[in-house]
Amino acid sequence: MADETGSVTAEFAIVTPIAVVALALILSAGVFAAGIVRAQTMADMSARELARGATPNSMRLRLESDGLRLSSVERQPGLVCAHLSGTKAETADAVQGVFKLIPLAISARACAVVEPT
């Protein structure tokens, strides 16, 4: 029978990095999903403000603070659509570093009915 001294240490040394990488990927996917939700929320808000008569310039500062920009505004009779895009969407101060490592593109589109004046 072979000597198994140190086998637990070797197994631990192999499994630990794999577990850390798997956990990092799961957390990154959650952060990215939260960023998409935040971008969609901002697109909804932007479309509503545009429908109420706001100008794209008035929303620029708020969108830029979330790492987004107003890509385009589409106006149709009785309807206005906002297209947002960016490389990150902040969800919490603790997880901002993830998007610096992997800058993933985020985009969102929302439409709102123009309110009569």
Side-chain angles (χ1 to χ4, degrees):
M1 182 172 207
D3 184 22
E4 294 186 13
T5 305
S7 64
V8 171
T9 305
E11 290 171 2
F12 183 75
I14 292 171
V15 171
T16 301
I18 294 170
V20 169
V21 168
L23 181 62
L25 288 174
I26 291 168
L27 291 175
S28 296
V31 169
F32 184 65
I36 291 173
V37 169
R38 178 71 178 157
Q40 187 60 51
T41 301
M42 294 299 286
D44 294 339
M45 180 204 65
S46 299
R48 283 192 305 272
E49 286 187 18
L50 288 167
R52 291 183 189 135
T55 63
N57 289 335
S58 66
M59 292 179 281
R60 181 169 289 135
L61 185 61
R62 185 180 308 148
L63 293 172
E64 286 176 356
S65 70
D66 282 326
L68 299 167
R69 65 182 172 82
L70 188 60
S71 300
S72 65
V73 176
E74 183 182 330
R75 296 185 185 272
Q76 299 173 3
L79 190 68
V80 63
C81 296
H83 302 266
L84 303 182
S85 63
T87 55
K88 72 178 185 75
E90 295 176 1
T91 56
D93 291 337
V95 293
Q96 287 178 4
V98 174
F99 287 104
K100 291 178 185 174
L101 296 174
I102 306 170
L104 300 171
I106 295 174
S107 64
R109 179 178 185 262
C111 299
V113 176
V114 176
E115 296 183 7
T117 56

